């Protein structure tokens, strides 16, 4: 159960990938390295922007946006002023861009946010917006390659399109053999227990909305190659 909800566990290990130490599920090491090497061979070296995240780390991301310490955006990527919003409005805005702690796929060590290394090396400041992967974006070549080859390495993109839940995240890749299994085992009741024991902002409202959130955000994703069969 520790694996599912962001607690440190024996499955999570730390290794260097693409020149950066990251934490990930031990069974994803080989396929991720193979993917990284294939991208480098295609002259598209990448950086891992985000890998495994703990429950506490995800809490800090959520709380900082809730409290206005980090940018909070509407569905059109326009900035919102947290202090001017009701708790329900903040909750709805946050859910579009950030996973509730205890429900993030990054807790499993199977999911990664990736970006081209070249623009970063040249001073580009990563925003993680869909426009960066659009035809004129800085990661357009990476987008094209991922469309053609990503699934050959056991990965896919659960948030590639807008399904009315999580905002499109073309940079987010998932090792579906393990991630599908984790998703099947994830339970709103267990996530709610962890949330109520935490310092998460808006936690009472979150727990009240959690079953709806699971339906519309956690499980409202692109089908993995396995699920398509």
């Amino acid at each position: 159960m520790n694996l599912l909800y962001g607690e440190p566990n024996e499955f999570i290990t730390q290794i260097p990938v693409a020149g950066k130490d990251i934490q990930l599920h031990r069974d994803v090491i080989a396929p991720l390295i193979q993917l990284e090497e294939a991208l480098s061979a295609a002259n598209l070296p990448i950086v891992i922007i985000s890998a495994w995240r703990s429950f506490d780390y995800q809490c800090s991301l959520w709380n900082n946006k809730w409290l206005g310490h980090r940018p909070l955006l509407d569905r059109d990527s326009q900035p919102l002023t947290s202090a001017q919003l009701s708790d329900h409005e903040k909750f709805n805005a946050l859910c579009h861009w950030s996973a509730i702690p205890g429900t993030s796929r990054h807790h499993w060590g199977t999911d990664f946010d990736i970006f081209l290394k070249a623009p970063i090396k040249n001073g580009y400041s990563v925003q993680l917006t869909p426009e960066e992967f659009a035809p004129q974006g800085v990661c357009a070549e990476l987008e094209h390659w991922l469309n053609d080859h990503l699934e050959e390495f056991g990965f896919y993109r659960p948030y590639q399109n807008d399904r009315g839940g999580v905002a499109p995240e073309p940079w987010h890749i998932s090792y579906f053999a393990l991630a599908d299994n984790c998703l099947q085992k994830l339970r709103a009741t267990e996530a709610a227990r962890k949330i109520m024991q935490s310092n998460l902002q808006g936690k009472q409202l979150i727990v009240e909305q959690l079953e709806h959130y699971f339906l519309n955000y956690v499980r409202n994703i692109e089908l993995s190659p396995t699920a398509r069969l």
Side-chain angles (χ1 to χ4, degrees):
M1 298 296 285
N2 289 352
L3 172 66
L4 298 179
Y5 303 99
E7 298 176 13
N9 61 85
E10 69 273 19
F11 297 102
I12 301 300
T13 188
Q14 181 169 304
I15 64 162
V17 177
K20 178 182 178 182
D21 283 344
I22 64 168
Q23 291 179 289
L24 75 168
H25 193 292
R26 63 194 184 194
D27 293 344
V28 189
I29 294 173
L32 183 62
I33 290 176
Q34 290 167 3
L35 173 64
E36 186 269 329
E37 289 176 344
L39 281 161
S40 292
N43 200 30
L44 295 169
I46 59 168
V47 171
I48 309 294
I49 301 296
S50 185
W52 180 78
R53 297 179 191 162
S54 69
F55 180 93
D56 289 343
Y57 181 79
Q58 195 70 23
C59 267
S60 71
L61 293 178
W62 179 279
N63 286 347
N64 282 329
K65 290 185 178 182
W66 185 282
L67 296 170
H69 302 325
R70 293 187 63 168
L72 179 61
L73 305 177
D74 65 15
R75 285 180 173 265
D76 296 318
S77 302
Q78 298 304 305
L80 297 167
T81 302
S82 180
Q84 297 177 354
L85 304 177
S86 69
D87 284 357
H88 276 89
E89 289 171 331
K90 284 189 283 190
F91 173 80
N92 289 330
L94 264 163
C95 287
H96 190 57
W97 301 101
S98 299
I100 293 172
T103 73
S104 174
R105 297 175 69 97
H106 283 285
H107 290 335
W108 310 335
T110 59
D111 286 52
F112 309 89
D113 296 340
I114 65 173
F115 207 87
L116 275 180
K117 181 180 290 187
I120 298 174
K121 187 176 180 180
N122 292 330
Y124 181 80
S125 178
V126 176
Q127 304 299 313
L128 289 185
T129 62
E131 290 75 19
E132 292 168 319
F133 285 74
Q136 304 304 318
V138 295
C139 288
E141 289 185 84
L142 175 59
E143 169 72 14
H144 182 74
W145 192 96
L146 294 175
N147 282 335
D148 289 343
H149 302 291
L150 181 62
E151 292 182 8
E152 298 169 14
F153 299 86
F155 293 88
Y156 89 117
R157 293 187 281 180
Y159 307 124
Q160 188 167 5
N161 299 301
D162 189 349
R163 298 172 58 90
V166 177
E169 295 187 355
W171 54 85
H172 183 128
I173 66 172
S174 179
Y175 188 64
F176 57 81
L178 284 175
D180 281 1
N181 187 49
C182 289
L183 182 60
Q184 291 173 12
K185 293 179 179 179
L186 200 68
R187 297 291 180 268
T189 51
E190 184 64 19
R193 182 189 66 79
K194 285 191 63 63
I195 288 167
M196 291 306 297
Q197 293 173 349
S198 74
N199 67 344
L200 189 65
Q201 294 292 314
K203 63 183 180 183
Q204 189 62 53
L205 171 62
I206 291 168
V207 168
E208 291 170 0
Q209 298 291 323
L210 207 53
E211 291 288 352
H212 178 269
Y213 175 83
F214 260 65
L215 178 64
N216 290 280
Y217 291 90
V218 177
R219 303 192 187 282
N220 184 21
I221 59 174
E222 300 295 323
L223 290 177
S224 72
T226 300
R228 294 177 209 144
L229 298 178

